[in-house]
Amino acid sequence: MEMVYKIYCASYEHALLLVESYRKDPKLQEEIMETLTATVPHTSASDLSFFLVMPVQRVTKYPLLLGKILENTPASSSAHAALAAAMRAMTQVNTNINEYKRRREVATKYNKAEQLTLRDRFARLNTHSIAKKTTRLSRLLMHEAGIVSKTEDKEYDDLEEKFQSVASCVTALKESMASYLQHLEEFQLATPHKCDLLMEEGPAQQYRRFAEHLHSVIFPEFRRRLDRLVWQPLCSLAEMLVGPQQLVKKRLDKLLDYEEIQERKSETGSVTYDEEAAMNTYLAINSLLVAELPCFIQMSVQLLVQILGSFSVLQQDLAEDVLREAKKELEQMPHGHMQLPAFWRMVEDNLQQSDVQLRSFIQAFETVTPSPMPQPLNPAEERKVLSLVSKHGPDKLYQVTSNISGSKDMDLTLQRGQIVALLQSVDTKGNTNRWLVDAGGPRGFVPAAKLQPYCPAPSQQPRTETPALESGAERRRHSYTSPEAPKPQVATFTPAFQVVAGFSFAARSPQELSLQAGQPVVILEPHDKKGSTEWSLVEVNGQRGYVPSSYLLRVPVQEPVGWSLPV
């Protein structure tokens, strides 16, 4: 009886607010009045508040009624002692209800998470708030330093530890579930089964039907059930944690105030009205948390278990649905009824046959591929090669044979055709498959399998260049020296890569040029007349025209020749 009245009386103010909100809806208010008139016409009630106040008034009348009966009961009667105990019990019930209501009002005041801007926080600052926060901070520092002892409450500390553990579990599970849902959405974005296929029947079409059923029926239904049975309850549980977390935080602040006031009270022997109110606030928050945290933790754990159980069942249902649908399609496959050992032998035979065909194709392709056409290095690449040669020597240069994407610390990301210098043919752990290289500035590790020695051939007519460190005046003086004066020579090198057409392209206008896949080209301008790099001006077999830049690939020269030093 006491617990029922506690909850009702503590929620009475909120119920009145709901009644007030109902009055703003004329249709709802009309239905309420019709129901009251039909069910309790003798009360002549004009609103629900007439009935809501009755339990509040009734519980306060019990001690008065029992006291009146006790006054009219002789002391010698056997019922006198029972009536006296009942009156004391109901008086205590009213006291407990009032105390519980006061605690709930304190909790309602402090358990709201306010979203305050920086301007709002500054607006709340005043002399009193700054002094209070400073006192709390100094008290907290003294706790940590061991200068003053902290008020210990073993029961509350154990409850708070369990509560924080539950809150951490809810937060981690919510983050994991959000990541799972994101991966599920990304998985459903890939729809290769919607591409047109030239094959009308066969395994490809069966896979297409299977994938289409997964994306259109099974996974949408799984996503809907997952949202309703797992994600929404988990979000609701996370929102319910906000109020208790705010109350736990506020309890610590009030504890610091309580200790400060207790210390002052022991010195002066008295406290002010505001200080006594602050002490009562701490006691109310602490009592409320000790009384209600166990129930909240128990319900939260039960809800977590139900959420995880629902997720497990959904995963099992998903696996069963996919397997059932896959079996339907597998039964229609040409080899669907084969025994597993025979099926794997057939797969291995097909793979070996495909491997032989692929090797034959590669050999034929290398045989018919035209000889590479060397192209001049651009100035930046030539300067980088010369710098690497001067630092490490020509025998240390290697060329990247395919694109490298660094995935670990100290790994480099390089493009196909780049020139690097070998620093060490082993990594820090002794792995010889990862080499330390210098890429003309950044240094890091790359796979050794994607490097080949770079040995550019000397040009037929090595050009001579004046060293770049000479000033303009020195260059002018050198231009008037006698022809016999020796000048340093810098060797130029042919590239170790060439540009070829990666795909066939059919010209659509006189300004464009048709290409065949694997055909070598010479890039004249890496842009069109408007400066766009999407088109490049190239020359093939004496003809010039524009082709898409994305159709051009740089490939390494297959037959490098020896290195030549300057004379």
Side-chain angles (χ1 to χ4, degrees), residues 25-97:
D25 189 343
K27 186 177 180 180
L28 179 59
Q29 186 66 16
E30 182 180 354
E31 292 181 1
I32 292 175
M33 293 306 301
E34 290 178 357
T35 303
L36 293 178
T37 304
T39 55
V40 284
H42 60 281
T43 60
S44 301
S46 60
D47 205 343
L48 284 175
S49 57
F50 176 82
F51 298 96
L52 292 175
V53 76
M54 282 185 175
V56 179
Q57 295 174 344
R58 180 63 55 85
V59 72
T60 59
K61 288 182 180 180
Y62 284 129
L64 300 177
L65 294 173
L66 290 171
K68 196 68 174 177
I69 296 174
L70 185 62
E71 290 177 4
N72 293 276
T73 302
S76 59
S77 174
S78 60
H80 189 277
L83 286 170
M87 187 183 70
R88 289 193 300 271
M90 290 309 302
T91 302
Q92 186 62 39
V93 165
N94 277 269
T95 302
N96 294 341
I97 290 174

Coordinates of all heavy atoms in Angstrom, one line a residue, residues 25-97:
D25 N -6.5 19.9 -26.7 CA -7.0 19.2 -27.9 C -8.5 19.1 -27.7 O -9.0 18.3 -26.9 CB -6.4 17.8 -27.9 CG -6.7 17.0 -29.2 OD1 -7.7 17.4 -29.9 OD2 -6.1 16.0 -29.4
P26 N -9.3 19.9 -28.4 CA -10.8 19.9 -28.2 C -11.4 18.5 -28.4 O -12.3 18.1 -27.7 CB -11.3 20.9 -29.3 CG -10.1 21.8 -29.6 CD -8.9 20.9 -29.4
K27 N -11.0 17.8 -29.5 CA -11.6 16.5 -29.7 C -11.3 15.5 -28.6 O -12.2 14.8 -28.2 CB -11.0 15.9 -31.1 CG -11.7 14.6 -31.5 CD -11.1 14.2 -32.9 CE -11.8 12.9 -33.3 NZ -11.2 12.4 -34.6
L28 N -10.1 15.5 -28.1 CA -9.8 14.6 -27.0 C -10.5 15.0 -25.7 O -11.0 14.1 -25.0 CB -8.3 14.6 -26.7 CG -7.7 13.8 -25.6 CD1 -8.1 12.3 -25.8 CD2 -6.2 13.9 -25.4
Q29 N -10.6 16.3 -25.5 CA -11.3 16.8 -24.3 C -12.8 16.4 -24.4 O -13.4 16.0 -23.4 CB -11.2 18.3 -24.2 CG -11.8 18.9 -22.9 CD -11.1 18.4 -21.7 OE1 -10.0 17.9 -21.7 NE2 -11.7 18.6 -20.5
E30 N -13.4 16.4 -25.6 CA -14.8 16.1 -25.8 C -15.0 14.6 -25.5 O -16.0 14.2 -24.8 CB -15.2 16.4 -27.2 CG -16.7 16.1 -27.5 CD -17.0 16.4 -28.9 OE1 -16.2 17.0 -29.6 OE2 -18.2 16.1 -29.3
E31 N -14.1 13.7 -25.9 CA -14.2 12.3 -25.6 C -14.1 12.0 -24.1 O -14.8 11.2 -23.6 CB -13.1 11.5 -26.4 CG -13.3 11.6 -27.9 CD -12.3 10.8 -28.7 OE1 -11.4 10.2 -28.0 OE2 -12.3 10.7 -29.9
I32 N -13.2 12.8 -23.5 CA -13.0 12.6 -22.0 C -14.3 12.9 -21.3 O -14.8 12.2 -20.4 CB -11.8 13.4 -21.5 CG1 -10.5 12.9 -22.0 CG2 -11.8 13.4 -20.0 CD1 -9.3 13.7 -21.7
M33 N -14.9 14.0 -21.6 CA -16.2 14.5 -21.0 C -17.3 13.5 -21.3 O -18.1 13.2 -20.4 CB -16.5 15.9 -21.4 CG -15.5 16.9 -21.0 SD -15.3 16.9 -19.2 CE -16.9 17.2 -18.6
E34 N -17.4 13.0 -22.5 CA -18.4 12.0 -22.8 C -18.2 10.7 -22.0 O -19.2 10.1 -21.5 CB -18.4 11.7 -24.3 CG -18.9 12.8 -25.2 CD -18.7 12.4 -26.6 OE1 -18.3 11.3 -26.9 OE2 -19.1 13.2 -27.5
T35 N -17.0 10.3 -21.8 CA -16.7 9.1 -21.0 C -17.1 9.3 -19.5 O -17.7 8.5 -18.9 CB -15.3 8.7 -21.1 OG1 -14.9 8.5 -22.4 CG2 -15.0 7.4 -20.3
L36 N -16.8 10.5 -19.0 CA -17.1 10.8 -17.6 C -18.6 10.9 -17.4 O -19.2 10.4 -16.4 CB -16.5 12.1 -17.1 CG -14.9 12.2 -17.1 CD1 -14.5 13.5 -16.7 CD2 -14.4 11.1 -16.1
T37 N -19.3 11.5 -18.3 CA -20.8 11.6 -18.2 C -21.4 10.2 -18.3 O -22.4 10.0 -17.6 CB -21.3 12.5 -19.3 OG1 -20.6 13.8 -19.2 CG2 -22.8 12.7 -19.2
A38 N -20.9 9.3 -19.1 CA -21.5 8.0 -19.3 C -21.2 7.1 -18.1 O -22.0 6.2 -17.8 CB -21.0 7.4 -20.6
T39 N -20.0 7.2 -17.5 CA -19.6 6.3 -16.4 C -19.9 6.7 -15.0 O -20.3 6.0 -14.2 CB -18.1 6.0 -16.6 OG1 -17.4 7.2 -16.5 CG2 -17.8 5.3 -17.9
V40 N -19.6 8.0 -14.7 CA -19.9 8.5 -13.3 C -20.7 9.8 -13.4 O -20.2 10.9 -13.1 CB -18.5 8.8 -12.6 CG1 -17.9 7.5 -12.2 CG2 -17.5 9.5 -13.6
P41 N -21.9 9.7 -13.9 CA -22.8 11.0 -14.0 C -23.1 11.6 -12.6 O -23.3 12.8 -12.5 CB -24.0 10.5 -14.7 CG -24.1 9.0 -14.3 CD -22.7 8.5 -14.2
H42 N -23.1 10.8 -11.5 CA -23.5 11.3 -10.2 C -22.5 12.2 -9.6 O -22.8 13.0 -8.7 CB -23.8 10.2 -9.3 CG -22.5 9.3 -9.1 ND1 -22.2 8.3 -10.0 CD2 -21.6 9.2 -8.1 CE1 -21.1 7.7 -9.5 NE2 -20.7 8.3 -8.4
T43 N -21.2 12.2 -10.1 CA -20.2 13.1 -9.5 C -20.2 14.5 -10.1 O -19.6 15.4 -9.5 CB -18.8 12.5 -9.8 OG1 -18.6 12.4 -11.2 CG2 -18.7 11.1 -9.2
S44 N -20.8 14.7 -11.2 CA -20.8 16.0 -11.9 C -19.4 16.5 -12.1 O -19.2 17.7 -12.0 CB -21.7 17.0 -11.1 OG -23.0 16.5 -11.0
A45 N -18.4 15.6 -12.4 CA -17.0 16.0 -12.5 C -16.9 16.7 -13.9 O -17.4 16.3 -14.9 CB -16.1 14.8 -12.5
S46 N -16.1 17.8 -13.8 CA -15.9 18.6 -15.0 C -14.5 18.3 -15.6 O -14.2 18.8 -16.7 CB -16.0 20.1 -14.7 OG -15.0 20.5 -13.7
D47 N -13.7 17.5 -15.0 CA -12.4 17.2 -15.5 C -11.8 16.0 -14.8 O -12.3 15.5 -13.8 CB -11.4 18.4 -15.3 CG -10.3 18.4 -16.3 OD1 -10.0 17.4 -16.9 OD2 -9.7 19.5 -16.4
L48 N -10.7 15.4 -15.4 CA -10.1 14.3 -14.7 C -9.4 14.6 -13.4 O -9.2 13.7 -12.6 CB -9.0 13.7 -15.7 CG -9.5 12.9 -16.9 CD1 -8.4 12.5 -17.8 CD2 -10.2 11.6 -16.4
S49 N -9.0 15.9 -13.3 CA -8.3 16.3 -12.0 C -9.2 16.0 -10.8 O -8.6 15.8 -9.7 CB -7.9 17.7 -12.1 OG -9.0 18.5 -12.3
F50 N -10.5 16.0 -11.0 CA -11.4 15.7 -9.8 C -11.1 14.3 -9.3 O -11.2 14.1 -8.1 CB -12.9 15.8 -10.3 CG -13.9 15.4 -9.3 CD1 -14.2 16.3 -8.3 CD2 -14.4 14.2 -9.3 CE1 -15.2 16.0 -7.3 CE2 -15.3 13.8 -8.3 CZ -15.7 14.7 -7.3
F51 N -10.8 13.3 -10.2 CA -10.6 12.0 -9.7 C -9.1 11.8 -9.3 O -8.8 10.9 -8.5 CB -11.0 11.0 -10.8 CG -12.4 11.1 -11.2 CD1 -12.8 11.8 -12.3 CD2 -13.4 10.4 -10.5 CE1 -14.2 11.9 -12.6 CE2 -14.7 10.4 -10.8 CZ -15.1 11.2 -11.9
L52 N -8.2 12.5 -10.0 CA -6.8 12.3 -9.7 C -6.5 12.7 -8.2 O -5.6 12.2 -7.6 CB -5.9 13.1 -10.6 CG -6.0 12.7 -12.1 CD1 -5.2 13.6 -13.0 CD2 -5.4 11.3 -12.2
V53 N -7.2 13.7 -7.7 CA -6.8 14.2 -6.4 C -7.4 13.3 -5.3 O -7.0 13.4 -4.1 CB -7.4 15.7 -6.2 CG1 -8.9 15.7 -6.0 CG2 -6.7 16.4 -5.0
M54 N -8.3 12.4 -5.6 CA -9.0 11.6 -4.6 C -8.0 10.7 -3.8 O -8.0 10.7 -2.6 CB -10.1 10.8 -5.2 CG -11.3 11.5 -5.5 SD -12.6 10.4 -6.1 CE -14.0 11.6 -6.1
P55 N -7.1 10.0 -4.5 CA -6.1 9.1 -3.7 C -5.2 10.0 -2.9 O -4.8 9.5 -1.8 CB -5.3 8.4 -4.8 CG -6.3 8.4 -6.0 CD -7.0 9.7 -5.9
V56 N -4.8 11.1 -3.3 CA -3.9 12.0 -2.5 C -4.6 12.4 -1.2 O -4.0 12.5 -0.1 CB -3.5 13.2 -3.3 CG1 -2.6 14.1 -2.5 CG2 -2.7 12.8 -4.6
Q57 N -5.9 12.8 -1.3 CA -6.7 13.2 -0.2 C -7.0 12.0 0.7 O -7.0 12.1 2.0 CB -8.0 13.8 -0.6 CG -7.8 15.1 -1.3 CD -9.1 15.7 -1.9 OE1 -10.1 15.0 -2.0 NE2 -9.1 17.0 -2.2
R58 N -7.2 10.8 0.1 CA -7.6 9.6 0.9 C -6.5 9.2 1.8 O -6.7 8.8 3.0 CB -8.0 8.5 -0.1 CG -8.4 7.2 0.6 CD -9.7 7.4 1.5 NE -10.7 8.0 0.7 CZ -11.6 7.2 0.0 NH1 -11.5 5.9 -0.1 NH2 -12.6 7.8 -0.7
V59 N -5.2 9.1 1.3 CA -4.1 8.6 2.1 C -3.8 9.5 3.3 O -3.4 9.0 4.4 CB -2.9 8.4 1.3 CG1 -2.2 9.8 0.9 CG2 -1.8 7.5 2.0
T60 N -4.1 10.7 3.2 CA -3.9 11.6 4.4 C -5.0 11.5 5.4 O -4.9 12.0 6.6 CB -3.8 13.1 3.9 OG1 -5.0 13.4 3.2 CG2 -2.6 13.2 3.0
K61 N -6.2 11.0 5.0 CA -7.3 10.8 5.9 C -7.3 9.6 6.8 O -7.9 9.5 7.8 CB -8.6 10.8 5.2 CG -9.0 12.2 4.6 CD -10.3 12.1 3.8 CE -10.7 13.5 3.3 NZ -12.0 13.4 2.5
Y62 N -6.4 8.6 6.4 CA -6.4 7.3 7.1 C -6.0 7.6 8.6 O -6.6 7.0 9.5 CB -5.4 6.4 6.4 CG -6.0 5.7 5.2 CD1 -5.3 5.7 4.0 CD2 -7.3 5.1 5.3 CE1 -5.9 5.1 2.9 CE2 -7.8 4.5 4.1 CZ -7.1 4.5 3.0 OH -7.7 3.9 1.8
P63 N -4.9 8.3 8.9 CA -4.6 8.5 10.3 C -5.7 9.2 11.1 O -5.9 8.9 12.2 CB -3.3 9.4 10.2 CG -2.7 9.1 8.9 CD -3.9 8.9 8.0
L64 N -6.4 10.2 10.4 CA -7.4 10.9 11.1 C -8.6 10.0 11.4 O -9.2 10.0 12.5 CB -7.9 12.1 10.3 CG -6.9 13.1 9.9 CD1 -7.4 14.2 9.0 CD2 -6.3 13.8 11.2
L65 N -9.0 9.1 10.5 CA -10.1 8.2 10.7 C -9.8 7.2 11.8 O -10.6 6.9 12.7 CB -10.4 7.5 9.4 CG -11.0 8.4 8.3 CD1 -11.1 7.6 7.0 CD2 -12.4 9.0 8.7
L66 N -8.5 6.6 11.7 CA -8.1 5.7 12.7 C -8.0 6.3 14.1 O -8.4 5.7 15.1 CB -6.8 5.0 12.3 CG -6.8 4.1 11.1 CD1 -5.4 3.7 10.7 CD2 -7.6 2.9 11.4
G67 N -7.6 7.6 14.1 CA -7.5 8.3 15.4 C -8.9 8.5 16.0 O -9.1 8.4 17.2
K68 N -9.9 8.8 15.1 CA -11.2 9.1 15.6 C -11.8 7.8 16.1 O -12.5 7.8 17.2 CB -12.1 9.6 14.4 CG -13.4 10.2 14.9 CD -13.2 11.5 15.6 CE -14.4 12.2 15.9 NZ -14.2 13.5 16.7
I69 N -11.6 6.6 15.4 CA -12.1 5.4 15.9 C -11.4 5.0 17.2 O -12.0 4.5 18.2 CB -11.8 4.3 14.9 CG1 -12.6 4.6 13.6 CG2 -12.2 2.9 15.4 CD1 -12.3 3.6 12.4
L70 N -10.1 5.3 17.3 CA -9.4 5.0 18.6 C -9.9 5.8 19.8 O -10.0 5.3 20.9 CB -7.9 5.3 18.4 CG -6.9 4.9 19.5 CD1 -7.0 3.4 19.7 CD2 -5.5 5.3 19.2
E71 N -10.3 7.0 19.5 CA -10.9 7.9 20.6 C -12.1 7.2 21.1 O -12.5 7.4 22.3 CB -11.1 9.3 20.1 CG -9.9 10.1 19.8 CD -10.2 11.5 19.3 OE1 -11.4 11.8 19.2 OE2 -9.2 12.2 18.9
N72 N -12.9 6.6 20.3 CA -14.2 6.0 20.7 C -14.1 4.6 21.0 O -15.1 3.9 21.1 CB -15.2 6.2 19.6 CG -15.6 7.7 19.3 OD1 -16.4 8.3 20.0 ND2 -14.9 8.3 18.4
T73 N -12.9 4.0 21.2 CA -12.7 2.7 21.5 C -12.2 2.6 23.0 O -11.2 3.3 23.3 CB -11.7 2.0 20.6 OG1 -12.2 2.1 19.2 CG2 -11.5 0.5 20.9
P74 N -12.8 1.9 23.8 CA -12.4 1.8 25.2 C -11.0 1.2 25.3 O -10.6 0.3 24.5 CB -13.4 0.8 25.9 CG -14.6 0.9 25.0 CD -14.1 1.1 23.6
A75 N -10.2 1.7 26.2 CA -8.8 1.2 26.4 C -8.7 -0.2 26.8 O -7.7 -0.9 26.5 CB -8.1 2.1 27.4
S76 N -9.8 -0.7 27.4 CA -9.8 -2.1 27.9 C -10.2 -3.1 26.7 O -10.1 -4.3 26.9 CB -10.9 -2.3 29.0 OG -12.2 -1.9 28.6
S77 N -10.6 -2.5 25.6 CA -11.0 -3.3 24.4 C -9.8 -4.0 23.8 O -8.7 -3.4 23.8 CB -11.8 -2.5 23.4 OG -12.0 -3.3 22.3
S78 N -10.0 -5.2 23.3 CA -8.9 -5.9 22.7 C -8.5 -5.3 21.3 O -7.4 -5.5 20.9 CB -9.3 -7.4 22.4 OG -10.4 -7.4 21.5
A79 N -9.3 -4.4 20.7 CA -9.0 -3.8 19.5 C -8.2 -2.5 19.7 O -7.7 -1.9 18.7 CB -10.3 -3.5 18.7
H80 N -8.1 -2.0 20.9 CA -7.5 -0.7 21.2 C -6.0 -0.7 20.7 O -5.5 0.2 20.1 CB -7.6 -0.3 22.6 CG -7.2 1.1 22.9 ND1 -5.9 1.4 23.1 CD2 -7.9 2.2 23.0 CE1 -5.8 2.7 23.4 NE2 -7.0 3.2 23.3
A81 N -5.3 -1.8 21.1 CA -3.9 -1.9 20.8 C -3.7 -2.0 19.3 O -2.7 -1.3 18.7 CB -3.2 -3.0 21.5
A82 N -4.5 -2.8 18.6 CA -4.4 -2.9 17.2 C -4.7 -1.6 16.4 O -4.0 -1.2 15.5 CB -5.3 -4.0 16.7
L83 N -5.7 -0.8 16.9 CA -6.0 0.5 16.3 C -4.9 1.5 16.5 O -4.5 2.3 15.6 CB -7.3 1.0 16.9 CG -8.6 0.3 16.4 CD1 -9.8 0.8 17.3 CD2 -8.8 0.6 15.0
A84 N -4.3 1.4 17.7 CA -3.2 2.4 18.0 C -2.0 2.0 17.1 O -1.3 3.0 16.5 CB -2.8 2.2 19.5
A85 N -1.7 0.8 16.9 CA -0.6 0.4 16.0 C -0.9 0.8 14.5 O 0.0 1.2 13.8 CB -0.3 -1.1 16.1
A86 N -2.2 0.6 14.1 CA -2.6 1.0 12.8 C -2.4 2.5 12.5 O -2.0 2.9 11.5 CB -4.0 0.5 12.5
M87 N -2.8 3.3 13.6 CA -2.7 4.7 13.4 C -1.3 5.1 13.3 O -0.9 6.0 12.5 CB -3.4 5.4 14.6 CG -3.5 6.9 14.4 SD -4.2 7.8 15.8 CE -2.9 7.5 17.0
R88 N -0.4 4.5 14.1 CA 1.0 4.9 14.0 C 1.6 4.5 12.7 O 2.4 5.2 12.1 CB 1.8 4.2 15.2 CG 1.5 4.8 16.5 CD 2.5 4.3 17.5 NE 2.5 2.8 17.7 CZ 1.7 2.1 18.5 NH1 0.9 2.8 19.3 NH2 1.8 0.8 18.6
A89 N 1.2 3.3 12.2 CA 1.7 2.8 10.9 C 1.3 3.8 9.8 O 2.1 4.1 8.9 CB 1.2 1.4 10.6
M90 N 0.0 4.2 9.8 CA -0.5 5.1 8.7 C 0.1 6.5 8.8 O 0.4 7.1 7.8 CB -2.0 5.2 8.7 CG -2.7 3.9 8.3 SD -2.1 3.3 6.7 CE -2.4 4.6 5.6
T91 N 0.4 6.9 10.0 CA 1.1 8.2 10.2 C 2.5 8.1 9.6 O 3.0 9.0 8.9 CB 1.2 8.6 11.7 OG1 -0.1 8.7 12.2 CG2 1.9 9.9 11.8
Q92 N 3.2 7.0 9.8 CA 4.5 6.7 9.3 C 4.5 6.6 7.8 O 5.4 7.1 7.0 CB 5.2 5.5 9.9 CG 6.6 5.3 9.5 CD 7.5 6.4 9.9 OE1 7.4 6.9 11.1 NE2 8.5 6.8 9.1
V93 N 3.4 6.0 7.2 CA 3.2 5.9 5.8 C 3.2 7.3 5.2 O 3.8 7.5 4.1 CB 2.0 5.1 5.5 CG1 1.6 5.2 4.0 CG2 2.2 3.6 5.7
N94 N 2.4 8.2 5.7 CA 2.3 9.5 5.2 C 3.6 10.3 5.3 O 4.0 11.0 4.4 CB 1.2 10.3 6.0 CG -0.2 10.0 5.5 OD1 -0.7 10.7 4.6 ND2 -0.8 9.0 6.0
T95 N 4.4 10.0 6.4 CA 5.7 10.6 6.5 C 6.6 10.1 5.4 O 7.4 10.9 4.7 CB 6.3 10.3 7.9 OG1 5.4 10.9 8.9 CG2 7.7 11.0 8.0
N96 N 6.6 8.8 5.2 CA 7.5 8.2 4.1 C 7.1 8.7 2.7 O 7.9 8.9 1.9 CB 7.4 6.7 4.2 CG 7.9 6.1 5.5 OD1 8.7 6.8 6.2 ND2 7.6 4.9 5.8
I97 N 5.8 8.8 2.5 CA 5.3 9.3 1.2 C 5.8 10.7 0.9 O 6.3 11.1 -0.1 CB 3.8 9.3 1.1 CG1 3.3 7.8 1.0 CG2 3.3 10.0 -0.1 CD1 1.8 7.6 1.1

